[in-house]
Amino acid sequence: MGLLSKKDAALIKDPFADNNPITIQVLGICSALAITAELKASIVMSISVLFVLGVGNVVISLLRNIIPSKIRIIVQLIVVATLVIIVDQVLKAFAYELSKTLGAFIGLIITNCIIMGRFEAFALGNGPWRSFLDGIGNALGYGIILIIVGFFRELLGSGTLLGFKVLGDPIEKTGLYATGYENNGFMLLAPMALIVVGIIIWVQRSRNKALIEEN
């Protein structure tokens, strides 16, 4: 018998495709639009949400039987705000420039619909282990979309990945630029993030007829 049961494994696998928080549930769109012009920012945001949602789900699950129902939203906000403060301080200590780039968007993790939704819909009704898996699964599902969008936006918009020139030098006209290729500046604008997400949704649903029938 494996480490995870079939149901437990589904908590991690389902958010990657059939129940992805961005492409299926249409949650967390704001950060997908705002911070995916650079792949590094997309990766850091994904890791931040992974930490906040994974740990937050466990904390809410452990407290679920002692939280008065009337103040459960307040408690959830306190938990997620504390975790976000930890993330923000770590970024300021070890990646200050990136912290400035992400700016207010790290703080907006507090109001990320994915996090509050998983607290409310799952962690309040399940044990710590399953809540942890649910948090990790949904955070990974969210993160993979951010990374895909960030990859194409930075590559096509700036000709770089993680700040490294991978298509050549546009000034000296080396590499791909020697053939007349030009960066697509539109890829760096927020509307292009929405278009890229739309393409991902189209590809996903074209590969899974069940999603089309359900929606």
Side-chain angles (χ1 to χ4, degrees):
M1 184 175 179
L3 179 63
L4 300 177
S5 67
K6 188 174 181 179
K7 288 184 177 180
D8 288 346
L11 293 175
I12 296 179
K13 292 189 296 183
D14 286 354
F16 274 92
D18 295 347
N19 198 26
N20 187 277
I22 291 182
T23 60
I24 302 301
Q25 300 177 34
V26 196
L27 301 174
I29 291 293
C30 293
S31 53
L33 299 179
I35 56 89
T36 52
E38 295 181 4
L39 181 57
K40 182 183 290 186
S42 301
I43 293 173
V44 171
M45 178 63 79
S46 301
I47 294 173
S48 300
V49 171
L50 181 68
F51 169 76
V52 172
L53 187 50
V55 176
N57 254 16
V58 172
V59 173
I60 294 299
S61 177
L62 291 172
L63 297 176
R64 71 188 188 281
N65 293 324
I66 61 174
I67 301 175
S69 59
K70 292 182 179 180
I71 62 168
R72 70 183 190 282
I73 299 299
I74 297 175
V75 174
Q76 291 170 19
L77 285 172
I78 291 173
V79 170
V80 71
T82 301
L83 294 172
V84 168
I85 289 172
I86 293 173
V87 169
D88 186 48
Q89 293 302 308
V90 169
L91 283 177
K92 287 180 178 178
F94 298 101
Y96 184 68
E97 291 300 320
L98 187 57
S99 174
K100 290 196 300 182
T101 300
L102 292 173
F105 294 105
I106 288 294
L108 288 177
I109 292 176
I110 297 172
T111 58
N112 191 312
C113 298
I114 298 172
I115 295 175
M116 297 303 294
R118 298 325 297 169
F119 284 0
E120 188 75 10
F122 199 91
L124 284 175
N126 292 272
W129 175 239
R130 284 177 57 80
S131 295
F132 174 73
L133 296 178
D134 177 79
I136 294 298
N138 277 274
L140 290 175
Y142 165 86
I144 193 66
I145 299 299
L146 255 64
I147 290 171
I148 291 172
V149 175
F151 175 89
F152 285 107
R153 289 185 70 193
E154 182 177 350
L155 179 65
L156 300 179
S158 302
T160 62
L161 286 175
L162 298 175
F164 296 101
K165 297 177 181 178
V166 296
L167 300 182
D169 192 316
I171 298 177
E172 298 180 1
K173 299 299 181 182
T174 60
L176 192 60
Y177 298 102
T179 66
Y181 175 81
E182 296 289 340
N183 292 327
N184 185 350
F186 285 111
M187 290 299 293
L188 301 179
L189 302 179
M192 288 306 300
L194 188 60
I195 292 174
V196 175
V197 171
I199 293 173
I200 294 172
I201 294 173
W202 172 68
V203 171
Q204 180 179 10
R205 297 195 177 194
S206 67
R207 291 169 57 87
N208 191 338
K209 294 181 180 180
L211 291 177
I212 300 176
E213 295 173 357
E214 291 176 3
N215 296 277

